Amino acid sequence: MKLDRNNYEIFLIDYIDGNLSLDDRRIVERFLAANPDIAEEYENTKEAIIESDHISSLELDNLYRSFSDLPKINETNFEEFCIAYHEGDLNEEEKGRVDTYLQQNPEAKALFQLHKSIRLQADLKIQFPLKDQLKKHLIVPMRRYFYLAGASAAAILIGFGLYFASVREKSDFPPAVKRVNIANTQIENLPQSQHNSIQLQEALNRNETKAKSSPVQTRKLLAVLDTTEQDPPGTIVLARIEPLVTTVHYSMKENEPDMPQVQNSTNSQVISNYQHAHADPPPTEGHSRVINRETILVGALRVGLKGYNSLTESDLALNAEQDREGRIKGISLSGENFEMERKFNNHINKN
Amino acid sequence: MTVAEYNHAVNEYADRIFRFVVKNIRNESTAQDIIQDTYEKLWLKHEGINFSKVRSYLFTTAYHTMIDQTRRDRKTLDIEEAHPKASHPQDEPFDLKANLNRALDQIPEIQRNVILLRDYEGYSYDEIADITNLSESQVKVYIYRGRIALRKLIGSPEVLI
């Protein structure tokens, strides 16, 4: 059947449905080019399809074939060619046809240029403001600050001598424990509690060095009193989980020797301090001064350790719990929304 | 993926995903939540994700989180009120970028998504198809539709002359 103005609708339907051979499609396209009124009708039909939510196979087929098979660019399909050109969907031969069309139809250049111009560009000023809270960090033990009350009971006793009149036996100081109970670490009442899907216990698993906590949790988890089997007996580590920036202040009384003064410490400073604490000879300036480690814990307990979490803008406090005889039977670290404690099997005598 | 690679993914992609989401939903607070959710999901699975796939994972996760969010919000959002008209005021000089941004707000969501992925990130059709769960052909059609819609909203081609 020969295509003419009396039967073109049948051909167009088959054309739109993608049921025509390549040769027949070209016959239809030549017919449309020769009959602008019917071409307009065809465009309206195609527009109607495009406006629908459903993408039919014929539409896809039409779009694909229009760029690969259509032998001629016309006013009707030129815009799609413009898009295809700028999307990089045309081969060199097809781009050459577009260029030729533009030379022959200068009025089409405006549309071509407009499509070239309407490419979206990201606004680099828009930045995610909470990147630091997304990041994960290693737990950095702050042994420098506490270095914890001493590596051994004997050393502690010697150290105590600097501040306290009496010296206790080695057994008075708590031995190392495998695991500190942090089961009661609470993060209740957080404003974004829906994020708290990960158990802190997992995050603080004894054998792990990575904090497996969500960003929100990480922001709120302040510190934990901790120790490891590898630490010297009596060691208590105030471990930090970044990106917290926990500033630790030692409030000292007069006539007491200097203790580390750490203010507004950053993560890098904490690490630096830790490194300094292990340097030999130790640095002598500022907060990096090393004193008898044995004095620090008891000294801190005595004067009251104060800390500050700059992210949550809340205070931290290290407190001692005494038994009836005035010996330290446990210590606790408390802050906003949490309190952690450690009990000593062997109470520490402060005097 | 290691912790270092995860952190690198934060540095490298958080801003870019944020821009993509903000541009779509036009709400920075919600966008921040979506980015946090996205990275939380990444962290949960980071040990099983190859770093070479992280960009795709992040955009895919953010995209679907965003779609879920917008579907929830759609019940209460009056689109017409939320989206200004694209046409520029007649008494002001033509600003293509501003007009384009206004027009972007008015085209269908799916068209906006694929065009943003295409233009912002330079994703190919098949990459966008993977992110959006569409076929490659559908992606192409939506991009073409979106381009035409943007052009029509911006105005006649002579606006640039």
Side-chain angles (χ1 to χ4, degrees):
Chain A
M1 182 166 60
K2 185 180 178 182
L3 172 61
D4 57 36
R5 294 184 66 88
N6 296 319
N7 62 13
Y8 71 90
E9 289 177 330
I10 298 174
F11 281 85
L12 281 185
I13 291 172
D14 283 336
Y15 180 86
I16 292 172
D17 284 339
N19 294 329
L20 297 181
S21 67
L22 183 60
D23 287 340
D24 287 339
R25 291 181 66 82
R26 286 177 173 159
I27 290 173
V28 172
E29 287 155 9
R30 283 198 292 273
F31 174 79
L32 290 174
N35 298 274
D37 58 328
I38 296 177
E40 184 177 352
E41 179 182 336
Y42 161 71
E43 282 302 311
N44 291 336
T45 303
K46 193 171 69 173
E47 287 280 345
I49 294 171
I50 289 179
E51 291 302 323
S52 70
D53 287 331
H54 175 65
I55 300 175
S56 64
S57 59
L58 65 91
E59 184 185 15
L60 300 174
D61 186 62
N62 183 41
L63 278 166
Y64 274 128
R65 293 187 183 210
S66 65
F67 305 122
S68 59
D69 299 334
L70 275 180
K72 186 174 181 180
I73 303 172
N74 55 45
E75 186 178 355
T76 302
N77 63 23
F78 176 68
E79 184 163 22
E80 291 179 355
F81 271 93
C82 286
I83 297 170
Y85 191 105
H86 297 307
E87 292 291 337
D89 292 339
L90 300 184
N91 60 34
E92 290 305 314
E93 188 267 335
E94 291 164 333
K95 288 167 70 175
R97 275 191 274 159
V98 173
D99 293 336
T100 301
Y101 181 85
L102 288 171
Q103 289 174 359
Q104 296 170 349
N105 302 273
E107 72 280 2
K109 288 182 179 177
L111 181 61
F112 183 81
Q113 287 300 324
L114 181 57
H115 271 292
K116 184 179 181 181
S117 301
I118 54 176
R119 288 292 185 274
L120 302 169
Q121 292 185 332
D123 183 354
L124 299 182
K125 294 177 183 174
I126 300 175
Q127 295 186 339
F128 183 65
L130 306 174
K131 281 201 287 290
D132 285 344
Q133 295 176 15
L134 296 179
K135 294 178 182 176
K136 305 294 181 182
H137 301 266
L138 300 180
I139 293 175
V140 181
M142 294 174 65
R143 304 176 196 201
R144 167 67 182 91
Y145 308 124
F146 290 98
Y147 193 68
L148 304 190
S152 67
I156 289 173
L157 294 175
I158 296 172
F160 279 17
L162 296 174
Y163 297 97
F164 307 103
S166 64
V167 174
R168 288 295 172 181
E169 296 179 357
K170 183 176 181 178
S171 61
D172 282 344
F173 209 83
V177 296
K178 290 184 179 179
R179 187 185 180 103
V180 172
N181 179 16
I182 59 169
N184 293 325
T185 302
Q186 298 295 323
I187 53 170
E188 295 175 348
N189 304 320
L190 295 185
Q192 292 175 282
S193 58
Q194 68 270 25
H195 292 292
N196 302 328
S197 58
I198 309 170
Q199 296 300 313
L200 288 177
Q201 284 79 357
E202 293 180 19
L204 297 169
N205 185 291
R206 177 67 279 127
N207 297 318
E208 292 182 356
T209 56
K210 293 179 291 187
K212 286 186 176 179
S213 57
S214 72
V216 173
Q217 287 174 331
T218 310
R219 271 186 285 167
K220 293 293 181 181
L221 181 60
L222 302 180
V224 58
L225 294 172
D226 212 347
T227 187
T228 72
E229 289 181 293
Q230 289 72 41
D231 291 321
T235 294
I236 301 171
V237 176
L238 176 60
R240 298 182 345 131
I241 296 180
E242 297 182 63
L244 296 177
V245 181
T246 302
T247 304
V248 179
H249 299 273
Y250 288 89
S251 300
M252 297 305 300
K253 293 182 177 179
E254 292 182 359
N255 302 321
E256 288 186 331
D258 288 345
M259 282 188 171
Q261 297 290 323
V262 184
Q263 296 184 359
N264 302 319
S265 59
T266 63
N267 298 332
S268 59
Q269 285 174 323
V270 169
I271 296 171
S272 174
N273 292 338
Y274 174 71
Q275 292 169 338
H276 286 171
H278 293 76
D280 186 19
T284 56
E285 293 183 0
H287 59 256
S288 57
R289 180 179 300 177
V290 175
I291 63 172
N292 287 328
R293 63 180 62 156
E294 300 81 36
T295 70
I296 297 179
L297 175 63
V298 176
L301 290 173
R302 181 181 170 196
V303 302
L305 172 68
K306 300 295 182 185
Y308 182 73
N309 185 295
S310 59
L311 281 179
T312 61
E313 297 182 346
S314 59
D315 291 326
L316 302 175
L318 179 65
N319 302 304
E321 184 180 3
Q322 299 180 6
D323 61 16
R324 293 179 178 176
E325 299 172 2
R327 296 182 301 177
I328 299 172
K329 66 177 183 181
I331 56 176
S332 65
L333 184 69
S334 59
E336 185 184 50
N337 295 328
F338 82 100
E339 180 170 350
M340 289 169 281
E341 66 175 12
R342 181 178 175 200
K343 303 289 186 184
F344 298 144
N345 292 330
N346 300 303
H347 298 181
I348 304 173
N349 195 324
K350 294 172 64 176
N351 299 314
Chain B
M1 188 169 62
T2 65
V3 175
E5 287 173 332
Y6 168 88
N7 287 336
H8 181 67
V10 173
N11 286 332
E12 187 72 19
Y13 301 121
D15 288 341
R16 293 159 65 172
I17 301 170
F18 185 60
R19 289 181 197 120
F20 169 66
V21 176
V22 165
K23 205 66 180 174
N24 262 291
I25 64 175
R26 299 167 296 279
N27 183 315
E28 290 204 9
S29 176
T30 303
Q32 287 180 13
D33 287 344
I34 290 172
I35 304 307
Q36 287 201 324
D37 286 347
T38 298
Y39 274 93
E40 188 173 340
K41 290 171 183 172
L42 173 65
W43 178 251
L44 287 173
K45 296 182 178 178
H46 77 281
E47 292 177 348
I49 294 176
N50 191 305
F51 182 68
S52 63
K53 304 289 185 184
V54 70
R55 178 189 178 215
S56 175
Y57 178 88
L58 286 168
F59 271 94
T60 301
T61 305
Y63 172 79
H64 290 288
T65 306
M66 179 182 71
I67 293 298
D68 290 343
Q69 182 69 42
T70 52
R71 282 174 182 163
R72 286 195 295 270
D73 293 345
R74 190 166 292 154
K75 295 176 182 177
T76 56
L77 179 65
D78 186 330
I79 301 296
E80 288 301 318
E81 287 183 3
H83 299 176
K85 294 294 183 185
S87 57
H88 69 283
Q90 295 300 315
D91 56 346
E92 293 180 8
F94 182 78
D95 183 338
L96 177 63
K97 185 177 179 182
N99 258 27
L100 188 55
N101 282 326
R102 281 194 288 266
L104 189 67
D105 287 343
Q106 295 190 61
I107 66 175
E109 180 184 51
I110 185 62
Q111 295 176 14
R112 181 167 62 245
N113 285 331
V114 294
I115 287 178
L116 282 171
L117 289 169
R118 181 78 165 168
D119 286 0
Y120 275 21
E121 293 297 316
Y123 274 125
S124 64
Y125 295 140
D126 64 327
E127 288 172 325
I128 296 172
D130 286 341
I131 291 172
T132 56
N133 277 348
L134 297 170
S135 71
E136 188 176 336
S137 300
Q138 286 173 313
V139 169
K140 184 171 180 178
V141 167
Y142 283 132
I143 288 176
Y144 275 59
R145 289 181 182 182
R147 299 277 189 219
I148 292 173
L150 287 174
R151 197 273 300 164
K152 288 179 178 177
L153 285 165
I154 287 174
S156 67
E158 287 70 29
V159 293
L160 292 182
I161 299 174

